[in-house]
């Protein structure tokens, strides 16, 4: 797989978790920090990295550098993914399902960070097993990397997407990525929640 050049992209960075870790030495404990960071351009390119350092900003910077070295391209259908995928990494299991337009991202914190910077706006997900953010982020990125578009699957089989899905199905599978503008909810005064 060809490497994606991060210098030509306008990448958004998001810190998923910062963890203080201790190493016990003869004189006591030495503290350092580890940071899980995801980067993406909001249009199908995403990467995740882990940085460790004695200070938080340095750990984040190292995490961003690591994430930029491991960028992947995610095939998008509109604002969602082409098909369901299940991925395990360590003791974490992540299931990602495409959702209809307007659903939003139904996901926990670690999965949400990854899919939002990738530019996915509609998605259903479930995390099972361990909820360790490092493993959940890596499982999510591997799951997104294993996605294939209808055209890619058809090409491997020596056919066209129209032969496999029909004309309408192929058009739906090629629908361009669009950001659906959603209006802000308007709450009527005096009728708040829990009253």
């Amino acid at each position: 797989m060809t490497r994606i050049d991060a210098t030509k992209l306008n990448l958004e960075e998001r810190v998923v978790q910062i963890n203080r870790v201790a190493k016990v030495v003869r004189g006591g404990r030495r503290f350092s920090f580890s940071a899980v960071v995801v980067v993406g351009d909001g249009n199908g390119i995403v990467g995740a990295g882990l940085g460790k350092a004695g200070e938080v900003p340095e750990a984040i910077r190292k995490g961003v550098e690591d994430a930029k070295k491991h960028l992947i391209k995610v095939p998008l259908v509109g604002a969602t993914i082409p098909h369901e995928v299940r991925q395990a990494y360590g003791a974490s299991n992540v299931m990602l399902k495409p959702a209809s337009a307007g659903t939003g991202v139904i996901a926990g914190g670690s999965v949400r960070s990854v899919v939002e910077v990738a530019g996915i706006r509609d998605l259903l997900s479930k995390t099972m097993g361990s909820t360790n953010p490092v493993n959940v982020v890596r499982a999510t990125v591997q799951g997104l990397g294993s996605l294939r578009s209808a055209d890619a699957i058809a090409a491997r089989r020596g056919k066209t997407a129209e032969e496999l899905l029909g004309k309408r199905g192929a058009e739906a599978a090629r629908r361009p990525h669009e950001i659906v503008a959603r209006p802000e909810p308007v709450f009527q005064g005096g009728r708040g929640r829990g009253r």
Side-chain angles (χ1 to χ4, degrees):
M1 194 167 154
T2 58
R3 199 167 187 180
I4 299 168
D5 186 13
T7 57
K8 297 174 183 171
L9 299 169
N10 183 19
L11 296 172
E12 177 193 344
E13 303 164 6
R14 193 169 296 182
V15 178
V16 179
Q17 184 207 32
I18 295 172
N19 192 23
R20 190 177 81 161
V21 292
K23 176 185 178 185
V24 179
V25 295
R26 197 167 69 182
R29 292 190 185 98
R30 289 255 175 93
F31 292 106
S32 64
F33 296 90
S34 70
V36 182
V37 183
V38 289
V39 298
D41 71 343
N43 201 17
I45 291 177
V46 68
L50 182 67
K52 296 176 185 177
E55 300 294 327
V56 174
E58 184 67 11
I60 292 170
R61 187 190 62 76
K62 285 183 179 180
V64 169
E65 281 181 14
D66 188 37
K68 286 179 180 178
K69 290 177 189 171
H70 300 101
L71 293 174
I72 58 163
K73 178 83 174 124
V74 181
L76 299 175
V77 176
T80 189
I81 57 177
H83 57 84
E84 182 181 332
V85 66
R86 291 168 189 259
Q87 185 69 45
Y89 187 94
S92 297
N93 290 288
V94 174
M95 180 199 63
L96 305 171
K97 271 177 124 172
S100 56
T103 304
V105 175
I106 312 295
S110 304
V111 177
R112 177 181 292 272
S113 298
V114 176
V115 298
E116 283 182 350
V117 296
I120 298 166
R121 302 279 172 264
D122 301 302
L123 183 88
L124 303 170
S125 80
K126 179 69 181 162
T127 304
M128 294 154 286
S130 169
T131 54
N132 177 348
V134 178
N135 287 350
V136 171
V137 165
R138 289 204 169 133
T140 306
V141 170
Q142 283 184 4
L144 292 174
S146 69
L147 292 170
R148 298 288 170 259
S149 66
D151 288 321
I153 293 167
R156 284 190 69 178
R157 292 174 60 179
K159 296 179 182 270
T160 63
E162 284 78 7
E163 288 176 300
L164 294 180
L165 301 171
K167 191 173 181 184
R168 274 200 187 139
E171 284 175 12
R174 291 190 188 111
R175 198 168 46 229
H177 175 65
E178 66 221 22
I179 296 172
V180 181
R182 295 190 181 92
E184 290 294 319
V186 179
F187 295 107
Q188 300 298 325
R191 293 195 178 262
R193 287 171 126 184
R195 292 184 188 166

